[in-house]
């Protein structure tokens, strides 16, 4: 029983890790925007809170503000880590494996269908699946090495 539990847990962690990787790949071009929106939110929130507190002369929620800012800073840090990882992998593939680089650009950035990718790269759907599997497993291995897949949520 215990062995099957660990196998299913391992499979769950693998699948959630792959989902997280695809999440960041699909949104890679929007990560800077997401970071700036989070930063603006903290700046705007701080201004409103400070102004409201001054008006009401209350400071009971100062602790809540600090916690919220820390959570946003942690989220920004996490997004930056994923952004840096993907950037490094893209640079690696661009220099060493142009086929994988082009596949990532077409599949995740341009969001082309398998048929369109086949037209552009002359890869069957099976070959595309195989390439996708290789790429995601490579990123998965690097992310584990860098302790980026501890938490399961996306």
């Amino acid at each position: 029983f215990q062995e099957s539990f660990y196998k299913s847990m391992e499979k769950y962690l693998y699948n959630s890790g792959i989902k997280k990787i695809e999440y960041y790949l699909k949104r890679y071009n929007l990560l800077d925007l997401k970071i700036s929106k989070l930063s603006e939110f903290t700046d705007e929130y701080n201004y409103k809170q400070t102004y409201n507190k001054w008006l009401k002369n209350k400071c009971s929620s100062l602790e809540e503000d600090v916690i919220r800012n820390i959570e946003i800073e942690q989220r920004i840090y996490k997004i930056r880590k994923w952004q840096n990882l993907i950037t490094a992998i893209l640079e690696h593939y661009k220099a060493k494996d142009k086929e994988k680089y082009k596949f990532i650009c077409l599949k995740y950035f341009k969001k082309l269908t398998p048929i369109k990718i086949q037209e552009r790269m002359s890869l069957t759907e099976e070959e595309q699946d195989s390439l996708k599997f290789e790429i995601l497993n490579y990123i998965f291995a690097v992310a584990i090495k860098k302790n980026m897949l501890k938490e399961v949520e996306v």
Side-chain angles (χ1 to χ4, degrees), residues 24-149:
Y24 284 108
L25 277 171
K26 288 175 184 170
R27 290 159 183 80
Y28 177 76
N29 291 326
L30 301 171
L31 293 178
D32 280 329
L33 182 66
K34 186 167 181 97
I35 289 168
S36 70
K37 288 230 183 280
L38 284 169
S39 297
E40 282 174 23
F41 175 77
T42 55
D43 295 344
E44 192 177 297
Y45 183 82
N46 285 340
Y47 171 74
K48 284 181 184 170
Q49 287 302 105
T50 306
Y51 183 71
N52 288 340
K53 282 180 196 159
W54 179 77
L55 284 176
K56 296 175 184 173
N57 200 14
K58 289 183 182 178
C59 58
S60 61
S61 66
L62 182 61
E63 190 176 320
E64 290 170 16
D65 293 350
V66 170
I67 290 169
R68 179 178 281 112
N69 284 345
I70 289 170
E71 287 170 352
I72 291 172
E73 288 302 318
Q74 287 172 338
R75 181 84 179 118
I76 290 171
Y77 175 74
K78 183 174 157 185
I79 294 168
R80 274 268 185 257
K81 269 181 90 168
W82 278 100
Q83 186 180 40
N84 292 339
L85 173 73
I86 293 169
T87 300
I89 286 170
L90 284 172
E91 288 171 5
H92 168 77
Y93 282 151
K94 193 173 187 179
K96 308 263 186 213
D97 195 334
K98 299 224 184 299
E99 184 183 52
K100 286 180 182 162
Y101 176 78
K102 186 174 183 180
F103 180 78
I104 290 171
C105 291
L106 296 177
K107 175 155 184 67
Y108 294 106
F109 303 162
K110 292 191 176 181
K111 295 170 179 54
L112 296 186
T113 64
I115 292 165
K116 292 281 185 193
I117 293 172
Q118 187 171 356
E119 289 171 8
R120 297 245 185 127
M121 294 184 69
S122 301
L123 293 171
T124 65
E125 286 195 40
E126 293 79 27
E127 290 169 327
Q128 290 177 47
D129 286 343
S130 177
L131 202 56
K132 175 183 161 184
F133 183 76
E134 280 180 49
I135 291 166
L136 294 177
N137 276 312
Y138 176 70
I139 296 172
F140 185 81
V142 174
I144 283 186
K145 209 176 199 179
K146 293 182 176 279
N147 291 322
M148 293 171 65
L149 286 172

Side-chain angles (χ1 to χ4, degrees), residues 1-13:
F1 165 75
Q2 204 171 21
E3 192 176 313
S4 67
F5 171 75
Y6 285 120
K7 287 273 185 222
S8 65
M9 193 63 186
E10 197 174 281
K11 187 177 180 180
Y12 172 76
L13 290 173

